[in-house]
């Protein structure tokens, strides 16, 4: 998997608001603070990568 597939969350702006969106453009969080949005994107992408790697390891040992 490439890095884009392992980082499905990003920040989008809409009328001065920052939205944390997934790969399907579904909004998970909306805030007026860019740093808050970036922080949540970082946390969500880390959690996604951790879950992906755990599932990969478990699949390999099965």
């Amino acid at each position: 998997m490439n890095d884009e597939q392992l980082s499905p969350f990003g920040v989008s702006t809409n009328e001065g608001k920052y939205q944390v969106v997934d790969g399907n453009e579904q909004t998970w969080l909306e805030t007026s603070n860019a740093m808050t949005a970036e922080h949540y994107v970082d946390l969500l992408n880390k959690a996604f990568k951790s879950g992906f790697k755990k599932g990969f390891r478990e699949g390999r040992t099965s």
Side-chain angles (χ1 to χ4, degrees):
M1 278 196 144
N2 64 30
D3 192 48
E4 186 175 305
Q5 291 171 314
L6 289 176
S7 300
F9 297 94
V11 175
S12 177
T13 56
N14 185 16
E15 298 177 8
K17 300 280 186 182
Y18 299 92
Q19 298 173 326
V20 175
V21 296
D22 62 15
N24 296 324
E25 295 300 315
Q26 182 173 346
T27 301
W28 286 54
L29 173 84
E30 184 174 271
T31 180
S32 58
N33 186 315
M35 286 185 68
T36 299
E38 290 292 339
H39 179 70
Y40 273 91
V41 164
D42 186 46
L43 290 174
L44 286 166
N45 282 327
K46 285 180 180 176
F48 180 83
K49 287 177 188 175
S50 175
F52 176 80
K53 288 177 183 175
K54 182 180 178 190
F56 179 77
R57 284 192 297 268
E58 287 177 2
R60 258 187 27 195
T61 60
S62 304

